[in-house]
Amino acid sequence: MRGIRLQPALIQQPSVLTVDGPSRRRDVAAYRQPGNIALMILMAAGDAGVSEGERIGEYEVKAVLGRGPLDITYKAKVSADHPTIPGQTVAVKCVSLPNMPSWEAVGLIEREAGVLLNLSQPGIPAYVASFQQDNTTFCLAQKLAKGQTLEELMANGTRLDDSTIYTIAVRLLEVLRYIHTQEPPIIHRDIKPANIVVDQLAGDGLNVSLVDFGGVTTPGYTAPEQFSGVSSVQTDLYSVGATLLLLITGGREPSAFPTRRLRVDFASSLPDQWTPFMSSLVAVTKRLIQPAPEDRYASAEEALNDLQTRLNEANQRLKAATEAQHETQKRIVKNVGVYAPVTGSRVGISMDEEGLLKIRVPPSLLGFRYYLLDTFFGLCVGAAALKLTTYWASNWETLDNGRWVLPLLFIPAWAVGLRYLRYPLRAVAERTNLLIGPYTTDIRTYLFGVRRSRVVGSTADLYEPKIETLETVWARPYDPNPEALKLQQGIVNHLLALGLTDTERQLIKAQINLYLKEFNKSRNN
């Protein structure tokens, strides 16, 4: 293959053929040092290996970096008189030809050397040399990429941002565009996170390298047709899609997703908020991992163009929405005023220069006065439940049947007591912060200073607030039932200002209505 030939007489024919893809994984992170050129030499696992301080040709072994069924990887130092990489620290991978398990395994080594010999692309580590040592060991030398593999990054819990994932996708598709347009086309066959090396995780400065052109297929990243022995341009594209699926879902392996008619279902694992990068990545990934080759892209060039086109369109939509949001901000700031506070009230209302309305709805220590009967009965039932609970806990060992009967009494008593006290407690101890902007709304509720809930949504989903009468547990004939401010956000209802006066509730209602009126005018225009 392209001038690279091994001597067949040295190969032992095995009785059983075993070539296991996942087991060929190589741990090379330790020797990927910036600026280093590493030498790859392949050696069978049956070899006893070389000890520290011994030499492999011109290379002095320093340590064992990794060991697999077909190879041993060493860290070694190149001799000072080496013609191209004198004195550098390199990686040495060795394969002993007599111990190779099959002709197919030999073919993988020969194929990798022949492929790398004539390739020149920034995303493919350059070929340096290949040779046989003592007619027993095949040696393949190439530059090794700097950085870490995607597999290592995911194992370390690294979460890549959307722009970085997008850049990785672009770089991989550029490599595939190059190798697939060779004559004849070169099919990698084993694109996966362990064979993708990245460096400088920062936007366009990201370096991405595709390694191991002598690999075999890996479950989870293998196109369905490859299990039938079919490899094509579309099989590599499928593997890129499976790799992107791992990245956009935060590190979840493709094989872990459910499938429907062989299609991977990953919608539930996507983030809630999508950037333009994410929206374009999701659309392209869906097509890349289609089970039928004809439903995928026809080429890496087509996939790359679609990815870039979708990003441009998403950015244009975002730009238009941002400009509309700015116009809305200007109109709101110009036309919406802030009502003067009620004398003696602790309700806070303000609006900043970006049109963000901030309303602080405080609790009221005297708020329970609107719920006197509920407070009284809630405290009575709660006291009885506490007494039963204390008695049960203190006499646990002496109780017989009562050990299980008493909980049937005090557990419902606690539930009833808390139901009585739900409005009084909220009136006395609940604080709500409303943030209403030209684009989003953020409503946070705190009980005794601890955040109880937070609901973030679109301002367009906010309805005009209403004053609502509360149905208390014990109605008071001498006074109307208490009221609260009801604010509907989509399908979520918020009850606010349970302990405030009617004047304060009306103030909050009027301020929100004024803001929403101007907001809706801006949307309609």
Side-chain angles (χ1 to χ4, degrees):
M1 175 184 267
R2 304 191 184 187
I4 307 297
R5 284 288 182 267
L6 305 182
Q7 297 185 18
L10 298 174
I11 311 302
Q12 298 177 351
Q13 298 297 324
S15 58
V16 179
L17 173 63
T18 56
V19 180
D20 183 16
S23 65
R24 299 184 71 252
R25 183 176 301 158
R26 300 163 184 168
D27 184 7
V28 296
Y31 60 78
R32 288 197 181 98
Q33 300 297 328
N36 281 353
I37 297 177
L39 184 69
M40 300 178 62
I41 307 175
L42 305 169
M43 181 179 238
D47 195 332
V50 180
S51 301
E52 181 178 352
E54 296 182 353
R55 302 185 68 85
I56 302 176
E58 301 177 279
Y59 312 100
E60 181 183 353
V61 173
K62 297 297 183 181
V64 175
L65 294 176
R67 192 181 291 265
L70 295 178
D71 58 77
I72 301 177
T73 304
Y74 303 98
K75 179 180 180 181
K77 186 175 182 180
V78 183
S79 61
D81 57 351
H82 193 281
T84 58
I85 50 174
Q88 292 194 28
T89 300
V90 299
V92 178
K93 288 190 177 180
C94 305
V95 159
S96 176
L97 298 178
N99 292 330
M100 291 300 293
S102 68
W103 281 102
E104 182 175 344
V106 175
L108 293 175
I109 305 168
E110 186 179 19
R111 173 181 178 270
E112 182 169 15
V115 165
L116 292 172
L117 179 62
N118 296 309
L119 294 183
S120 177
Q121 208 275 348
I124 302 174
Y127 173 91
V128 175
S130 62
F131 56 92
Q132 292 186 48
Q133 179 176 317
D134 299 329
N135 291 326
T136 60
T137 303
F138 180 74
C139 308
L140 170 63
Q142 71 174 119
K143 294 181 179 180
L144 283 183
K146 299 183 293 182
Q148 292 179 285
T149 67
L150 287 179
E151 181 181 61
E152 292 160 352
L153 290 172
M154 293 298 102
N156 293 335
T158 303
R159 185 68 183 257
L160 306 180
D161 60 60
D162 296 350
S163 63
T164 298
I165 299 174
Y166 178 87
T167 303
I168 291 173
V170 170
R171 297 289 185 266
L172 287 176
L173 291 172
E174 288 174 344
V175 173
L176 292 191
R177 179 177 60 183
Y178 173 76
I179 64 175
H180 289 170
T181 53
Q182 299 297 302
E183 291 294 339
I186 296 170
I187 311 301
H188 188 282
R189 293 181 175 85
D190 193 26
I191 298 174
K192 59 183 178 181
N195 289 338
I196 300 168
V197 184
V198 295
D199 185 41
Q200 298 178 6
L201 297 179
D204 292 336
L206 185 68
N207 295 321
V208 179
S209 299
L210 183 60
V211 300
D212 198 357
F213 279 74
V216 292
T217 58
T218 301
Y221 299 91
T222 304
E225 67 271 16
Q226 281 186 271
F227 294 105
S228 301
V230 178
S231 294
S232 66
V233 167
Q234 281 70 36
T235 59
D236 277 355
L237 291 175
Y238 182 96
S239 299
V240 169
T243 301
L244 294 178
L245 179 59
L246 173 84
L247 300 180
I248 65 178
T249 57
R252 187 175 179 185
E253 288 288 338
S255 58
F257 291 97
T259 57
R260 296 179 181 177
R261 297 181 180 179
L262 296 180
R263 286 180 170 84
V264 180
D265 183 9
F266 61 93
S268 60
S269 298
L270 294 173
D272 295 331
Q273 306 256 337
W274 288 10
T275 63
F277 292 108
M278 180 58 70
S279 62
S280 57
L281 285 167
V282 170
V284 170
T285 299
K286 285 181 179 178
R287 187 170 174 186
L288 286 172
I289 60 175
Q290 289 295 311
E294 61 270 19
D295 293 333
R296 300 172 208 148
Y297 295 99
S299 64
E301 177 75 20
E302 182 186 3
L304 182 59
N305 289 340
D306 190 30
L307 181 65
Q308 294 171 333
T309 299
R310 288 180 181 275
L311 177 63
N312 291 335
E313 292 174 350
N315 280 329
Q316 290 174 2
R317 290 193 297 270
L318 179 61
K319 181 180 179 181
T322 302
E323 290 175 352
Q325 180 182 347
H326 288 162
E327 290 301 318
T328 302
Q329 287 176 345
K330 292 178 182 177
R331 180 164 184 163
I332 289 175
V333 172
K334 179 180 178 181
N335 299 329
V336 176
V338 175
Y339 289 119
V342 176
T343 303
S345 173
R346 294 192 297 127
V347 174
I349 302 177
S350 63
M351 189 170 65
D352 62 19
E353 64 277 3
E354 296 183 353
L356 179 64
L357 178 64
K358 303 176 183 179
I359 301 178
R360 180 182 184 275
V361 183
S364 174
L365 293 178
L366 298 178
F368 71 91
R369 69 185 183 276
Y370 300 110
Y371 312 90
L372 290 177
L373 289 178
D374 292 70
T375 303
F376 174 75
F377 283 105
L379 292 176
C380 289
V381 175
L386 178 60
K387 187 172 182 179
L388 285 173
T389 305
T390 304
Y391 176 78
W392 176 75
S394 302
N395 298 278
W396 167 262
E397 296 182 355
T398 60
L399 293 174
D400 294 327
N401 294 333
R403 179 178 300 177
W404 308 111
V405 173
L406 283 178
L408 298 178
L409 297 176
F410 67 72
I411 292 177
W414 279 117
V416 172
L418 290 175
R419 176 171 171 76
Y420 283 147
L421 293 171
R422 73 188 191 282
Y423 288 149
L425 284 176
R426 292 181 62 182
V428 171
E430 184 177 84
R431 169 172 57 88
T432 303
N433 290 343
L434 300 176
L435 301 176
I436 304 175
Y439 187 67
T440 59
T441 300
D442 188 349
I443 301 178
R444 308 180 189 187
T445 303
Y446 300 83
L447 189 65
F448 293 105
V450 178
R451 192 169 77 186
R452 187 170 66 90
S453 67
R454 180 185 182 188
V455 181
V456 178
S458 172
T459 304
D461 293 334
L462 205 61
Y463 293 83
E464 292 185 359
K466 300 178 181 179
I467 303 297
E468 182 166 294
T469 300
L470 300 178
E471 293 295 333
T472 56
V473 179
W474 290 87
R476 296 168 296 171
Y478 55 85
D479 193 21
N481 277 355
E483 294 177 333
L485 186 66
K486 179 183 177 181
L487 184 62
Q488 185 174 348
Q489 184 183 18
I491 61 173
V492 181
N493 289 320
H494 303 273
L495 287 180
L496 315 174
L498 277 73
L500 300 187
T501 64
D502 183 63
T503 303
E504 291 172 312
R505 282 191 290 269
Q506 293 293 346
L507 173 66
I508 298 171
K509 176 185 175 182
Q511 185 67 71
I512 295 176
N513 282 340
L514 177 62
Y515 190 95
L516 293 181
K517 180 180 178 180
E518 204 60 44
F519 171 78
N520 290 325
K521 283 183 180 179
S522 300
R523 290 182 65 205
N524 295 333
N525 293 337

